[in-house]
Each structure stands twice: as structure tokens, then as C-alpha cells.
Amino acid sequence: MEHDVPVRGLEKRRTRRCLVLSVVAVLILIIIVAVVLGLTLTRGSNKLKPVFLDRCQKFKDSNCEEIWDAFQQAYVNRDPCQVPMERYDPLIAVASFKPSCNRMMFWSKTKDVVHDFTEKRDCFVTLEDTLLGSVLNGLTWCGKQGSSETLTTGCPGWTDCDNNPVRSFWNRISARFADVACGDVTAMLNGSIITPFSPTSIFASIEVKRLNSTRVRNLNVVLVTQENAVTNCTNGSLKNLQKELDEGIKYNCKEVSESQLKDCSSHPEKPCGACW
Ligand code: N1C
């Protein structure tokens, strides 16, 4: 009996502590749920526009808001596997570019070597030097049905479905780049792989087919080789390339080692044509 009062006080304190702990636990749970929900609902949405505009504004006199609108109408509010390349036609119309005859550089499976070279020497123009190519280089985007958002995560990958927004974009602007090509055009292909002219590449499946002999005089292939080269200009796939070319376009192929290219990049005083 003597212990009755202190024991009851202890119990009360325990109950109060339990209550506080439960309230804190519930609050933490609510915060976690809210954060997770917030993250999933805004899953990388609307992050692309600022990058797009920022890169676009580096090109003088461009109407970047208009170009953005034309760009996003291609894929917004659509199933991300139902975006054929024609969806980008309006974009091409608002962001057209003037071709630089004799300076256009195509490539396949040599992305790093090509850009390393073209950045150091102001001789050739790749698609990534044009407004649309440079703005979207390295980015991923898609939309979803019933939403006006642009997502940058959870989008179909390059091979998940043919008509995905990123793949269709590169198909469409690569087609345009080849349509306007003129004079002598150059293509850097990879001499360290068995099939430098791969039928599934954009270069083979889109660009080469669209080079037109009324505008293009020569196609100069630069086959980039390494020490232990696995291919040379007699490679079978390059025979197919010649067959694919529009009659009247002259074909040329030269094996150039990567070290030769590097050497040339470090001597920008040499004339552009003197690298191979
Ligand atoms: O499929 P590819 O090469 O043959 O495409 C390269 C070819 C070039 O001549 C370019 O004009 O097509 C054009 N092009 C790009 O400019 C480009 N920039 C970035 C095609 N694809 C481009 N990318 C990305 O590289 C694209 O997202 C895709 O994943 C690769 C294609 O490279 P590849 O197979 O080496």
C-alpha cells in the first residue's frame, strides 16, 4: 500500500513517454511517405527545359522558347514507344541550319575520337555542332499519356522500342543533316571493330541512303585504326557502303591511326586537309 502512489506515478510517466514516442514515430512515417510520394510523382519531370534553354541560348539569334515548344510537342502526352521520327518535322522546320559544304563530318562508333578531333581543329562540322544536336547531345527525355510533363528518368532505352523519343529524334535530325550535305563529305568509322559500317547504325540506315549525288561529290571515309587494327579499307562492310551510295558520288577510304589524329589535333596550324 505504501508503494501505491509512486508506482502509479511511474506508470503514468511511462504511458506519457510511450505516447510521445508513438506520435514521433507517426510523424516520421508521414514525412517519409510524403517524400517518397513527392519523388515518385515528380519523377525527374520538367528538369530538361532549363538545360535545353541554357544550351540553346549559346546560339545567337535563336528563338529558343519557340524551338522548345516545337520540340516538346513531338512526345508530350504520348506513349513513349509511339513517337515516330516524323513527329519531329515541326522542330526541324523551326530550327533549320545552313549546311557547310565540304566541312560536314559524319561518324559511326567513333563518337569520342571524332569530337576530340573536331573540337581541337576548326575544320569539320558534326551534327553536335548544330543547334539541335548540341542542345540534346547526351540527354534522355520522354512524355507520358495524360500528362504535359517532360520526364528525364524511367524513359524507354535505345533498344526497348524503335519509336522512342530519343532514338526518333536522332533518326530525324541525322536524316536532315544528310539531306543538306554538300560537296566533299567525310565519315570517321571505327577500324577496331569487325563491322565499321554496321547496317543497324544511324550512319548506315539513314545518313548514307540520303546523300544525294546532285549535291554531294565525294564521300571520304577515314577509318580510324589502333596499333592492332582488326580492319582496313578492304573490309567487307565497306563494300556494302559503296553499293549503298547514290550513283555519281565518288568514294574514297583511308586508314588513319588514332595517334596520327592526335598528332594532327595538336598542330592546328596545319591545313585542315593535311591530316590524312
Ligand atoms: O548510329 P550511329 O553511331 O552510326 O550514328 C552516328 C551518326 C553520325 O554521323 C551523326 O550525324 O548519326 C548522327 N548521330 C549523332 O549526331 C549523335 N549524337 C549523339 C547519331 N547519334 C548520335 N548520338 C548518340 O550516339 C545517340 O543517342 C546514339 O545513342 C548514339 C549513336 O552512335 P553510334 O551507334 O556510334
Side-chain angles (χ1 to χ4, degrees), residues 66-269:
E66 188 193 358
I67 297 174
W68 166 262
D69 284 344
F71 165 68
Q72 51 119 46
Q73 65 73 43
Y75 60 84
V76 135
N77 198 4
R78 291 180 79 86
D79 176 338
C81 278
Q82 303 282 330
V83 179
M85 62 188 266
E86 295 73 32
R87 297 281 314 168
Y88 289 101
D89 287 353
L91 172 66
I92 301 288
V94 295
S96 64
F97 65 95
K98 283 192 211 83
S100 316
C101 295
N102 305 319
R103 283 164 34 98
M104 290 170 85
M105 170 70 87
F106 294 84
W107 53 267
S108 190
K109 319 290 177 212
T110 50
K111 194 174 185 193
D112 294 340
V113 190
V114 167
H115 294 110
D116 194 46
F117 179 77
T118 55
E119 266 164 31
K120 292 193 185 119
R121 307 232 28 181
D122 192 23
C123 300
F124 294 102
V125 177
T126 64
L127 184 49
E128 293 78 10
D129 297 314
T130 68
L131 187 145
L132 287 178
S134 97
V135 164
L136 290 150
N137 195 16
L139 303 180
T140 300
W141 64 92
C142 65
K144 65 176 174 198
Q145 258 170 337
S147 156
S148 60
E149 282 173 326
T150 293
L151 307 177
T152 50
T153 55
C155 297
W158 191 257
T159 50
D160 287 339
C161 50
D162 282 349
N163 285 335
N164 75 67
V166 176
R167 192 179 174 133
S168 292
F169 168 79
W170 288 111
N171 283 347
R172 185 63 192 89
I173 62 160
S174 300
R176 173 74 181 165
F177 195 60
D179 283 344
V180 299
C182 44
D184 292 351
V185 302
T186 311
M188 264 194 199
L189 305 184
N190 191 335
S192 302
I193 54 177
I194 318 252
T195 317
F197 184 66
S198 158
T200 56
S201 67
I202 295 183
F203 179 64
S205 62
I206 304 223
E207 292 174 330
V208 163
K209 292 183 192 324
R210 297 178 82 129
L211 297 176
N212 187 309
S213 64
T214 59
R215 285 187 314 277
V216 176
R217 198 175 16 185
N218 281 300
L219 170 66
N220 297 319
V221 169
V222 172
L223 191 64
V224 185
T225 58
Q226 275 163 347
E227 303 298 297
N228 42 0
V230 300
T231 28
N232 58 31
C233 283
T234 65
N235 180 278
S237 76
L238 296 177
K239 299 255 150 54
N240 297 336
L241 163 50
Q242 292 169 66
K243 272 185 239 151
E244 285 281 339
L245 273 185
D246 192 10
E247 231 184 277
I249 299 181
K250 281 204 227 101
Y251 167 87
N252 229 298
C253 176
K254 222 166 191 184
E255 293 137 23
V256 180
S257 71
E258 211 177 318
S259 52
Q260 218 175 314
L261 281 181
K262 290 233 166 75
D263 193 52
C264 192
S265 321
S266 51
H267 292 102
E269 73 283 355

